Amino acid sequence: ALVSSDASVEIDQTGIYSLIVTDAFGCQFSNSENVILQSVSTPFISPQGFIMLCDGESVILNSNNFVQYWTLNGVPVPNSASLNFEADQTGEYAAVSVQGICVTESAPVSVNIAPAIQVNIEISDPSPCSGETVTLAVTGDYSFISWSVGNVSNSIQISQSGSYGVTVGGDNSCIAEDLVTVIFTPLPLADAGPDVFNFCGEGVVMQSAASGETIQWIPSVGLSDDSIAQPSANPFETTTYQLVVSNGDCVSSDEVQVISDCSGIRVPNVFTPNNDGDNDAFEIVVTGEVDFELFIYNRHGQLVFESKDPADQWRGEFNGNPVSEGTYYYVLRAVDLIGNDLTGGKQEGHITLLR
């Protein structure tokens, strides 16, 4: 039994409790109340304790008892009447149970969301060319670094196209990742070819090869087109040309020399008069107008052809009949209109006739 003379009492048992009051004149007054204490249980949350999460993560809190609502930092969360609750913010979480007029609250659980770890792969050259080396690097105070190629340093060097990833960790055990794709552009083909001879005024086609987005010959003087792979070159003096081929920022180059002979006269040393349309006549090429004389002899000293016109061609005949294969000899004299002797008085030499 509970006996107390205090104005207020705390009770912890079900039963009938009476209050008796005596006034100053000795009169007593009483009142009785049947008190029924409900049996209620306090919710228990799991997991317990301090929960550390990484940015973007969450944890499911579970209650062993009916939950009327959950609280975050003491504030009820709307529409949270569930045994399970997803916690995705930093703060203290508790489960509140309401049974009749009794309200119980669980012990709080602290959740801490760690700040996000930032990582960004820096590329030394975003548009590399084949044969070059590119450095990939990350900057930051990380607890660990792991590249997809196996390296664990702050930077790596690559020389092949592909995707490269990195994973980094912070002191809070959270990680971050980044991925980049690097494409090495193939170098364009630039082969200027062998040096070539150009007889002044005729021009010669470059024996070059080029493949790329843009083609440029430097200098362009004397070229039929400075933006194609095989232009015709006709410079008046020996010139070294540079072939530059580009694929975006990737550039290849090569050089070739065009040797120009503008002395005014050119004498071939072999011809094949077999009527196949190729080199069928012995023809001396002269630049400009000249005073001209040509004599051709066989090995016996017999004159088989003579002309005073540079345009005349000897087709390997004498008196209308083909001559035999072999070596023939010529004597040439050529003087231009201003008196320049192009042959130094006379020019002698031999030619070979083949059929």
Side-chain angles (χ1 to χ4, degrees), residues 6-344:
D6 294 332
S8 64
V9 294
E10 289 185 2
I11 59 175
D12 58 5
Q13 297 181 28
T14 296
I16 298 175
Y17 293 85
S18 297
L19 173 65
I20 300 174
V21 179
T22 302
D23 63 13
F25 300 101
C27 299
Q28 289 187 337
F29 303 90
S30 66
N31 186 28
S32 298
E33 188 74 36
N34 187 15
V35 178
I36 300 175
L37 296 180
Q38 290 185 328
S39 177
V40 296
S41 59
T42 301
F44 177 83
I45 298 176
S46 62
Q48 281 285 302
F50 184 81
I51 302 173
M52 174 67 78
L53 300 176
C54 299
D55 184 66
E57 294 180 342
S58 62
V59 62
I60 300 298
L61 302 178
N62 302 290
S63 172
N64 68 338
N65 199 0
F66 172 77
V67 176
Q68 184 71 28
Y69 57 87
W70 291 81
T71 64
L72 172 58
N73 297 324
V75 179
V77 178
N79 303 316
S80 60
S82 173
L83 290 176
N84 305 314
F85 184 80
E86 183 179 9
D88 57 3
Q89 299 180 48
T90 294
E92 286 194 344
Y93 292 83
V96 177
S97 176
V98 178
Q99 299 174 53
I101 63 172
C102 299
V103 179
T104 58
E105 182 175 335
S106 69
V109 172
S110 294
V111 175
N112 184 57
I113 308 294
I117 300 175
Q118 302 295 329
V119 62
N120 181 51
I121 298 177
E122 300 174 355
I123 308 175
S124 62
D125 183 358
S127 303
C129 307
S130 295
E132 297 179 344
T133 299
V134 171
T135 299
L136 304 182
V138 293
T139 303
D141 186 15
Y142 304 117
S143 61
F144 75 88
I145 299 172
S146 178
W147 292 91
S148 57
V149 293
N151 297 60
V152 294
S153 59
N154 285 77
S155 64
I156 61 173
Q157 291 189 331
I158 62 171
S159 57
Q160 295 183 349
S161 297
S163 294
Y164 297 87
V166 67
T167 301
V168 300
D171 294 334
N172 51 19
S173 299
C174 297
I175 65 171
E177 297 177 328
D178 194 19
L179 180 72
V180 294
T181 298
V182 182
I183 302 298
F184 286 81
T185 302
L187 286 173
L189 171 64
D191 181 2
D195 294 345
V196 292
F197 181 85
N198 171 50
F199 184 69
C200 191
E202 286 191 356
V204 61
V205 177
M206 298 286 203
Q207 301 175 35
S208 50
S211 176
E213 296 175 0
T214 60
I215 298 173
Q216 184 180 15
W217 289 90
I218 303 172
S220 61
V221 176
L223 299 179
S224 60
D225 190 333
D226 66 352
S227 62
I228 61 175
Q230 294 183 322
S232 175
N234 187 23
F236 288 100
E237 59 183 4
T238 297
T239 304
T240 298
Y241 289 98
Q242 182 183 35
L243 172 61
V244 180
V245 186
S246 302
N247 274 342
D249 294 331
C250 300
V251 180
S252 297
S253 64
D254 194 18
E255 291 185 346
V256 64
Q257 189 175 62
V258 178
I259 304 168
S260 291
D261 182 6
C262 289
S263 60
I265 190 167
R266 186 185 67 173
V267 182
N269 57 12
V270 63
F271 74 112
T272 57
N274 53 9
N275 295 317
D276 65 352
D278 183 23
N279 199 27
D280 285 330
F282 175 75
E283 178 183 12
I284 294 178
V285 179
V286 178
T287 302
E289 296 184 22
V290 296
D291 183 10
F292 177 88
E293 287 184 329
L294 172 65
F295 304 93
I296 299 178
Y297 302 88
N298 61 21
R299 61 189 181 87
H300 303 295
Q302 183 182 14
L303 180 66
V304 296
F305 180 81
E306 65 176 310
S307 175
K308 292 188 176 183
D309 185 354
D312 287 344
Q313 300 175 341
W314 182 45
R315 305 191 67 86
E317 297 177 347
F318 178 59
N319 291 331
N321 298 312
V323 300
S324 60
E325 289 187 343
T327 300
Y328 293 80
Y329 303 89
Y330 70 87
V331 177
L332 170 65
R333 184 182 68 84
V335 179
D336 65 20
L337 297 182
I338 61 176
N340 294 319
D341 191 338
L342 305 182
T343 56

